Amino acid sequence: MTQTVLQSATAANRAAMSAMLAPSLANGSESETVAPSIPSIDHSRLDWQFDRTVDDTENISVGDTVTFEKVLSEEDVRAFAHVSGDTNRLHLDEEFASDTRFGERIVHGTLVSGLISAALARLPGLTIYLSQDLEFSGPVGIGDRVSARVEVVEDLGNRQYRLETVIRNEDDDATVINGEAVVLIDDLPEA
């Protein structure tokens, strides 16, 4: 069962990352990307923002944080539905969604939680997900700016760390996902 959960989480994270990268890859425009400031990231979109408190794998310690922020667009939702196969009408059909408890279409929860992967990708080194627990507490609307913050809360030894993971809807000033992750951080392979 653990392997199935891990495979599902990995697939969801890949789909989320694909959805986030799809618009810049599809149009091929160099003007919408910036050169990488972290070797493990090929390109970032200009409207993505991140901040981190540590730049070297040898210096990662309790209290270090990374925050990643972006707007979740209509294009992100459509791309995620296509890549993941999650075609729930709540995310894609305005008329249907207007009759739900939300009154409008909302972003896939797994797409929103995928921003945690984006934050983890900005840690120094090669970050490998080992586990993730999530609690969803509110929806994210299409076009909302969302931030994912990860904080190292425990050094588990052997380059493994337990992190607090929090996603906030910056437009509503509300926490929408709380959780905890365990990651392994390797050095980047030499080029």
Side-chain angles (χ1 to χ4, degrees):
M1 183 169 164
T2 301
Q3 184 176 7
T4 302
V5 170
L6 183 58
Q7 288 171 338
S8 296
T10 300
N13 287 331
R14 284 185 184 141
M17 290 305 294
S18 293
M20 287 184 266
L21 293 173
S24 65
L25 297 175
N27 71 22
S29 171
E30 290 297 318
S31 65
E32 291 190 12
T33 61
V34 293
S37 60
I38 301 171
S40 65
I41 300 171
D42 289 333
H43 300 280
S44 287
R45 302 254 331 225
L46 291 176
D47 60 339
W48 297 352
Q49 299 175 13
F50 83 95
D51 184 45
R52 69 179 184 182
T53 61
V54 62
D55 291 322
D56 187 304
T57 56
E58 300 305 317
N59 295 326
I60 295 173
S61 62
V62 171
D64 284 327
T65 63
V66 174
T67 303
F68 176 83
E69 188 174 315
K70 80 177 292 281
V71 172
L72 290 172
S73 68
E74 171 72 22
E75 294 79 22
D76 293 332
V77 171
R78 297 279 176 194
F80 184 80
H82 176 75
V83 170
S84 69
D86 181 350
T87 56
N88 184 330
R89 293 170 62 196
L90 177 60
H91 310 300
L92 303 171
D93 182 335
E94 191 67 52
E95 186 176 339
F96 173 84
S98 69
D99 291 331
T100 69
R101 72 174 63 220
F102 303 106
E104 64 182 351
R105 292 171 49 218
I106 62 170
V107 177
H108 300 77
T110 306
L111 172 53
V112 177
S113 68
L115 296 183
I116 294 167
S117 289
L120 293 175
R122 283 148 178 84
L123 281 166
L126 175 63
T127 304
I128 303 164
Y129 245 133
L130 299 178
S131 68
Q132 176 76 60
D133 292 318
L134 300 172
E135 182 177 320
F136 295 81
S137 56
V140 171
I142 296 168
D144 288 354
R145 178 164 284 280
V146 180
S147 66
R149 182 176 184 273
V150 299
E151 179 177 350
V152 177
V153 294
E154 184 178 3
D155 182 339
L156 300 171
N158 296 321
R159 304 181 84 146
Q160 295 182 29
Y161 301 90
R162 187 169 59 84
L163 298 100
E164 175 187 63
T165 59
V166 177
I167 298 184
R168 293 188 49 79
N169 184 330
E170 298 300 328
D171 291 345
D172 292 343
D173 193 30
T175 298
V176 294
I177 299 176
N178 274 307
E180 182 176 283
V182 175
V183 299
L184 170 67
I185 302 178
D186 283 341
D187 288 328
L188 291 171
E190 292 187 30

